[in-house]
Amino acid sequence: MALETGAEFTKSVLKRWEDIPDPRLREVMQSAIKHLHAFVSDVKPTGAEWFKAIQFLTAIGHKCDDKRQEFILASDVMGVSMLVDDINNRRVAGATPSTVEGPFHIPNAPEVADGGDMAKGAPGIPCFVTGKVRGLSGEPVGGAVLDLWQTDGEGLYEEQRRTAEPWMRGVYRTRPDGSYTIRTVAPISYTIPMDGPIGEFFSRTTMSHMRPAHIHFAISAPGYHEVITHLFQKGDEYIDNDVVYGVKAPLVVEFVKRPPGKAPNGEMVDTPFYEVKYDFVLEQKQAALAAAE
Ligand code: BEZ
Ligand code: FE
């Protein structure tokens, strides 16, 4: 058995991993080994440093449960989630762009009637979001599902509130003309969770750990590509250095402050409120196929 070191050693490891019958798994693992060996050769960690890296990954795993996902957070803050999104969700010009899903989406949000309130007494300034879901040719998409989640007006998600009932999330459906009306409270900019290994890591840097205020949307309709995206509040101080690199110009919208009075859902609001108008544009699945030809 030859004594192999450096590049020769990497080659012999790769050779053994050639014996994976599944070609995709083989491709992924060989690439992972190649890049991991290159990374380790570059950084030259001491044994203690490598063990620290293993402890860091272990701590990330220990922080995860059915509501907290520290691995997604790790992927987000290194820009990897946005890279995966870019590879998989590049839509044609004119379609609403996607952005990072983040770790706070909880499936099966309660259905809320058009114009209904998904904040249900949560703290914050009332906020009404209205608009249409359309196709690329301008056709209305009736019956589209809008699955929303966001922080309350104190910057906290359900996972952080740990409420027994759903908090700051809801599922709306568009009317036949594609229109929708949402009543919620305005989100605020917030810090990513700092009480875990990723937060601990950030406290050793001078990088911002803030996200600009935003509302998450997952919008789906039969025959169209689903879009997972956000609406960001224009003018937010963190809009240019979002910690997870999620801001895209077409998703930045004005939150217009209105005086007390009649709101877009017809109700009388006795405090100032925000109004946000936005049309989402979905790409038809056939259009995607044609564009790829
Ligand atoms: C979020 O927007 O919910 C989020 C995304 C990535 C990391 C942390 C939070
Ligand atoms: Fe968020």
Side-chain angles (χ1 to χ4, degrees):
M1 193 177 293
L3 176 63
E4 291 158 335
T5 57
E8 283 309 306
F9 175 64
T10 298
K11 260 193 225 161
S12 77
V13 174
L14 285 170
K15 181 125 193 58
R16 196 176 300 176
W17 284 70
E18 266 170 11
D19 287 342
I20 297 176
D22 177 337
R24 179 63 175 157
L25 184 60
R26 183 169 64 237
E27 181 188 5
V28 168
M29 289 314 300
Q30 287 202 319
S31 179
I33 286 168
K34 208 161 56 190
H35 287 93
L36 195 52
H37 279 226
F39 165 68
V40 171
S41 302
D42 184 32
V43 172
K44 297 183 181 55
T46 63
E49 282 173 334
W50 189 243
F51 187 60
K52 204 159 186 185
I54 286 169
Q55 282 178 313
F56 179 62
L57 294 176
T58 306
I60 291 176
H62 283 167
K63 197 70 193 169
C64 295
D65 62 22
D66 58 340
K67 290 196 173 178
R68 175 76 178 257
Q69 235 306 350
E70 197 79 355
F71 271 114
I72 294 182
L73 190 57
S75 155
D76 293 340
V77 300
M78 289 189 288
V80 178
S81 301
M82 282 306 290
L83 189 56
V84 173
D85 177 63
D86 182 47
I87 290 165
N88 291 287
N89 297 312
R90 237 176 258 172
R91 299 270 82 93
V92 299
T96 302
S98 57
T99 189
V100 63
E101 178 171 349
F104 291 120
H105 180 244
I106 301 175
N108 306 317
E111 294 264 348
V112 186
D114 190 56
D117 183 11
M118 70 171 230
K120 297 191 169 57
I125 300 170
C127 179
F128 296 83
V129 188
T130 63
K132 285 193 172 184
V133 177
R134 298 190 279 106
L136 276 168
S137 328
E139 75 279 13
V141 183
V145 173
L146 294 95
D147 183 358
L148 275 77
W149 69 105
Q150 61 166 100
T151 67
D152 55 36
E154 293 173 350
L156 296 176
Y157 280 96
E158 176 174 327
E159 184 275 325
Q160 295 155 318
R161 291 276 181 203
R162 297 268 161 173
T163 50
E165 295 299 314
W167 185 258
M168 295 307 299
R169 56 195 179 98
V171 169
Y172 292 81
R173 280 165 209 277
T174 54
R175 291 188 285 256
D177 67 350
S179 64
Y180 68 86
T181 302
I182 289 154
R183 189 203 207 282
T184 179
V185 293
I188 60 167
S189 46
Y190 62 86
T191 169
I192 55 162
M194 294 294 282
D195 62 341
I198 299 299
E200 216 172 282
F201 167 80
F202 262 81
S203 66
R204 296 179 60 188
T205 79
T206 54
M207 291 189 289
S208 164
H209 47 86
M210 298 297 288
R211 294 220 67 201
H214 60 271
I215 303 174
H216 294 258
F217 291 79
I219 303 177
S220 55
Y224 291 87
H225 287 284
E226 182 183 29
V227 63
I228 297 178
T229 194
H230 304 358
L231 293 184
F232 293 93
Q233 183 170 16
K234 192 172 174 181
D236 187 288
E237 68 175 298
Y238 301 106
I239 210 85
D240 291 326
N241 64 345
D242 179 9
V243 57
V244 302
Y245 311 92
V247 179
K248 293 179 178 175
L251 304 175
V252 179
V253 291
E254 199 87 53
F255 280 49
V256 180
K257 196 82 172 268
R258 302 275 187 220
K262 194 166 173 189
N265 67 349
E267 79 177 79
M268 292 303 291
V269 180
D270 57 11
T271 58
F273 60 87
Y274 283 112
E275 187 175 356
V276 178
K277 290 185 180 167
Y278 198 80
D279 287 353
F280 293 96
V281 181
L282 302 184
E283 183 183 354
Q284 241 171 346
K285 285 188 175 160
Q286 294 91 307
L289 289 175
E293 277 169 8

